[in-house]
Amino acid sequence: MKAVVYKGNDKPLSLEDVPAPVPGPGQLLVKVAACGICGSDLHAYQSGLLGPEIIMGHEFSGEILAVGEGVSTSWQVGDRVTSLGALLCGHCDACKRGLFDSCENLQLTGFFGHGAYAEQVLVSEQLSVRVPEILDLTQAALVEPMTVGLQALRDAQLPLGGNVLVIGAGVIGLAVAKWARFFGAADIVVSDLDAERLDRARANGATAVIDASVNPDAVQGFRDAVGGEPDVILECVGRPMLQQLIDIAPVGCHIVSVGVSMAEEPLSPMAAAQKKVRLSFSFGYTVEDFAFVTRMLAEKRLLVEELITQRVALEQVPEVFEGLMQPNGHCKILIQPNR
């Protein structure tokens, strides 16, 4: 099969012919319909955290091509599916007890195990969610980033009718904004450097936007735009900026790191303590979260089509990936390997 392979952080991605994966016990082999290029893919590539010859990609959907030994009869070839981006070992104590997020040998798809920048990918049956016929498979590839946004807002513990400040208008920032509106937040203000992204934020849940190239103090920008103070600041960029947010945060504010930078960042605990700032980190989600988001998309209670800014074939990925290393106005680029 064809796949886009990581060759090292100082080398471009390479389109290659690689052996097709074979489903093991409890696994499904999926023909990839669409896979998103995630910001964490870019950060992992730049930081050199990826293993050699890895195939990236953990935001995907597709159709089942084959099932492994022991897979439930509820899964059949041709079923439409999306999945959490991980493979379970299936034999550790946590797996035997059904505590899949605590699997002792969890293999993160696209980071330590081969992902979906490819024609086919393996998924674990227990981490998979059926995609209804009414939901387009390309939109189903956005279940993962939308679930990240849902979990982030839940981790923020937003007060009823509270105010939200989102830093970064990429797909995760917009996912947070969409869920904030879904759950009844009052003011939802999004800050970003790119004018195209800010326009997209206005159309996807933001009550106001801040041009960070003009006003780098997002909290003051929040005050200027809507009055009052943000109850929660959600960092959705994935770059070192937590100390900067602590410095500008109002007293008692809750800062949630959603982008989770892969770079080291020095922090001053005293500055946060004096303001009684809470700092938390959002990471991960459950199969139940995936199923809920899939249903919300299928019922069109949450719209994601406008977040897709480009669709590309596998052959285009190396060039497109390099372009994303530079400032750009994209939201979600989808790879469609088998179109």
Side-chain angles (χ1 to χ4, degrees), residues 165-166 189-199 202 208-218 221-222 225:
L165 172 58
V166 180
V189 180
V190 179
S191 173
D192 200 280
L193 292 164
D194 185 86
E196 184 178 356
R197 291 187 175 203
L198 292 176
D199 286 342
R202 289 187 184 94
V209 299
I210 301 167
D211 184 345
S213 67
V214 176
N215 189 352
D217 185 334
F222 188 101

Side-chain angles (χ1 to χ4, degrees), residues 85-96:
L87 288 179
L88 302 170
C89 72
H91 54 73
C92 71
D93 182 63
C95 282
K96 290 177 181 178

Side-chain angles (χ1 to χ4, degrees), residues 29-287:
L29 177 63
V30 174
K31 177 182 178 182
V32 178
C35 177
I37 298 178
C38 178
S40 61
D41 296 341
L42 301 172
H43 297 161
Y45 174 90
Q46 291 173 315
S47 63
L49 295 178
L50 296 172
E53 303 296 311
I54 279 290
I55 300 167
M56 289 186 283
H58 59 277
E59 306 174 354
F60 57 87
S61 62
E63 296 182 357
I64 297 176
L65 286 176
V67 299
E69 180 183 353
V71 168
S72 166
T73 55
S74 64
W75 291 109
Q76 303 291 331
V77 172
D79 285 348
R80 308 162 89 245
V81 65
T82 184
S83 174
L84 279 71
L87 288 179
L88 302 170
C89 72
H91 54 73
C92 71
D93 182 63
C95 282
K96 290 177 181 178
R97 295 166 59 196
L99 304 174
F100 302 126
D101 57 350
S102 299
C103 172
E104 297 171 12
N105 304 289
L106 193 71
Q107 189 179 80
L108 291 177
T109 303
F111 295 98
F112 304 104
H114 289 342
Y117 287 14
E119 293 177 315
Q120 300 172 23
V121 67
L122 290 176
V123 301
S124 288
E125 172 191 16
Q126 298 95 329
L127 301 182
S128 298
V129 170
R130 196 176 305 276
V131 176
E133 291 291 337
I134 196 172
L135 178 59
D136 187 280
L137 278 174
T138 58
Q139 294 187 18
L142 274 78
V143 167
E144 198 278 344
M146 295 307 298
T147 307
V148 171
L150 172 63
Q151 184 60 49
L153 196 66
R154 284 162 53 178
D155 287 338
Q157 300 176 333
L158 182 70
L160 188 65
N163 292 332
V164 177
L165 172 58
V166 180
I167 309 298
V171 68
I172 301 302
L174 296 189
V176 169
K178 280 178 172 289
W179 285 117
R181 179 170 288 278
F182 186 96
F183 288 112
D187 285 311
I188 307 161
V189 180
V190 179
S191 173
D192 200 280
L193 292 164
D194 185 86
E196 184 178 356
R197 291 187 175 203
L198 292 176
D199 286 342
R200 196 175 294 117
R202 289 187 184 94
N204 285 278
T207 54
V209 299
I210 301 167
D211 184 345
S213 67
V214 176
N215 189 352
D217 185 334
V219 171
Q220 186 58 51
F222 188 101
R223 297 183 185 112
D224 294 342
V226 298
E229 307 276 14
D231 297 295
V232 178
I233 302 174
L234 296 108
E235 175 276 306
C236 300
V237 178
R239 302 290 185 186
M241 63 171 60
L242 293 180
Q243 185 61 55
Q244 175 187 347
L245 295 179
I246 290 170
D247 291 341
I248 64 174
V251 172
C253 188
H254 185 189
I255 300 172
V256 183
S257 174
V258 187
V260 189
S261 172
M262 297 182 186
E264 292 186 5
E265 179 177 4
L267 294 178
S268 171
M270 181 56 72
Q274 288 175 329
K275 289 185 173 183
K276 299 187 181 299
V277 165
R278 286 188 295 147
L279 176 60
S280 59
F281 298 83
S282 182
F283 185 81
Y285 33 70
T286 67
V287 178

